[in-house]
Amino acid sequence: VGLAGFSMGAQMAALTAASMREPVACAALGGGDSGERVFCEGVFRDGLDWNALGHDEARLRELCRRTSVTRLPRPSFDHGAVLVSALDDGFVPRAAALALHAHWHGAELRSMEGGHLSLFVRGRHMMVSAVVDGLVRLGAPRDLSYGW
């Protein structure tokens, strides 16, 4: 079984994988450990209605930390995880991917020049190979078809 997601979907895939008892491959693409850095440090920060949030960044950070993958125990099969991060991502700061990688130290972290959109548009091969490589590490045959 394998899970994959892009951006916030990557965090959801990682949360799901960390919650599983059985080995699950996980390709977290353009995501990180939580929404904390996305909403408090990324480009979304300037788009938030801080008046509605009571100008309480500390509270927002705490709420986001509650959904952090790092709050869950490190899965014993984290070697089946491949994380892909854009080096200049303005939406999901690289620190979010590094935090997930530090927690899942058995995972591989791959990087691509560019930002969030660049990763999505130009990084298709890198993302597909991350999915396949995660599955292979957990015992799937190497000759999986990429379907392209």
Side-chain angles (χ1 to χ4, degrees):
V1 174
L3 299 166
F6 183 80
S7 195
M8 186 60 79
Q11 182 193 351
M12 297 300 108
L15 280 167
T16 303
S19 301
M20 302 292 288
R21 292 184 181 161
E22 299 296 322
V24 175
C26 181
L29 315 162
D33 63 321
S34 79
E36 177 186 3
R37 290 176 184 88
V38 173
F39 295 113
C40 297
E41 299 168 20
V43 296
F44 283 126
R45 175 182 174 74
D46 294 332
L48 293 177
D49 184 350
W50 286 101
N51 289 328
L53 295 170
H55 297 280
D56 193 350
E57 183 177 327
R59 174 113 171 94
L60 178 58
R61 284 183 181 275
E62 176 53 35
L63 289 172
C64 289
R65 282 188 201 121
R66 291 181 186 175
T67 63
S68 177
V69 179
T70 61
R71 290 180 57 99
L72 298 172
R74 180 181 73 84
S76 60
F77 49 84
D78 65 354
H79 62 283
V82 179
L83 317 175
V84 181
S85 172
L87 292 173
D88 298 309
D89 196 325
F91 290 97
V92 181
R94 183 148 168 88
L98 294 173
L100 179 55
H101 186 244
H103 185 59
W104 285 7
H105 48 80
E108 178 185 355
L109 177 61
R110 298 178 184 174
S111 303
M112 184 181 125
E113 293 287 335
H116 204 67
L117 185 60
S118 299
L119 179 60
F120 184 75
V121 173
R122 294 190 341 240
R124 181 172 188 257
H125 179 75
M126 180 181 274
M127 292 190 288
V128 170
S129 68
V131 172
V132 171
D133 291 346
L135 289 167
V136 167
R137 290 176 186 166
L138 294 181
R142 167 65 50 205
D143 62 350
L144 290 173
S145 171
Y146 281 20
W148 50 5

